[in-house]
Amino acid sequence: MAEFFTGLSTILTIVGWFFFGFGIANRIRLRKKKITPTKRQLWQWWFLMVGAWVLGGICLLIGNHMATSQAQAANPAVAEQSLADFEAALSNPSTTDTDQCVDHWVGAYRKDAGEDAVVTQDQLDEWTGWCKEGKQAPGF
């Protein structure tokens, strides 16, 4: 069924391009005859062209969703792995906790080296690793 919607998306996209090209060619033909199209004609052309593209996009989204659902149903391990990844992300300390921990390490470093001491990216990376391991800065 997903292939049907993906194919329909391709067809509707081609139809949209057909209306685009047909509308441009028609406009050129009318201009040569010094005929100005009515606003209704222009709106019909625009509606057909853009409508086909929008419907094609919707069909593509539906097809992709159905393909993903079918893949998860066919292979439940993929869905379980995605759930496990989500749970692991929830169980990790948040970045704000890590950022606060790194700020404590910076504060401890500047207590020893002086308030104007430069902190390098290597130090920040090392302290971030320590914070993720659970090490806390002295005095905090």
Side-chain angles (χ1 to χ4, degrees):
M1 191 67 159
E3 295 84 15
F4 169 77
F5 280 102
T6 305
L8 186 60
S9 167
T10 303
I11 291 169
L12 287 170
T13 302
I14 292 169
V15 167
W17 282 110
F18 172 77
F19 281 124
F20 177 75
F22 177 75
I24 297 292
N26 190 38
R27 182 88 165 117
I28 291 170
R29 184 175 48 79
L30 291 175
R31 184 172 281 181
K32 284 182 182 178
K33 292 181 179 180
K34 297 186 180 183
I35 298 173
T36 304
T38 64
K39 286 188 179 186
R40 180 180 176 163
Q41 290 171 329
L42 291 175
W43 276 108
Q44 284 175 342
W45 167 66
W46 184 87
F47 180 76
L48 289 172
M49 176 184 62
V50 174
W53 285 334
V54 168
L55 287 174
I58 290 170
C59 287
L60 184 63
L61 290 174
I62 292 170
N64 287 343
H65 176 71
M66 291 179 78
T68 303
S69 298
Q70 289 171 356
Q72 288 179 350
N75 190 0
V78 172
E80 298 225 2
Q81 180 61 37
S82 298
L83 182 60
D85 291 343
F86 179 70
E87 288 173 349
L90 288 178
S91 67
N92 285 342
S94 69
T95 57
T96 56
D97 293 341
T98 304
D99 291 343
Q100 187 177 19
C101 177
V102 171
D103 289 342
H104 290 170
W105 278 104
V106 170
Y109 171 72
R110 287 194 170 149
K111 273 186 189 175
D112 293 339
E115 286 297 318
D116 295 330
V118 175
V119 177
T120 65
Q121 185 63 44
D122 290 337
Q123 289 172 309
L124 291 173
D125 292 340
E126 183 178 11
W127 293 331
T128 301
W130 289 352
C131 289
K132 287 180 180 178
E133 292 173 5
K135 296 181 183 177
Q136 295 294 321
F140 289 96

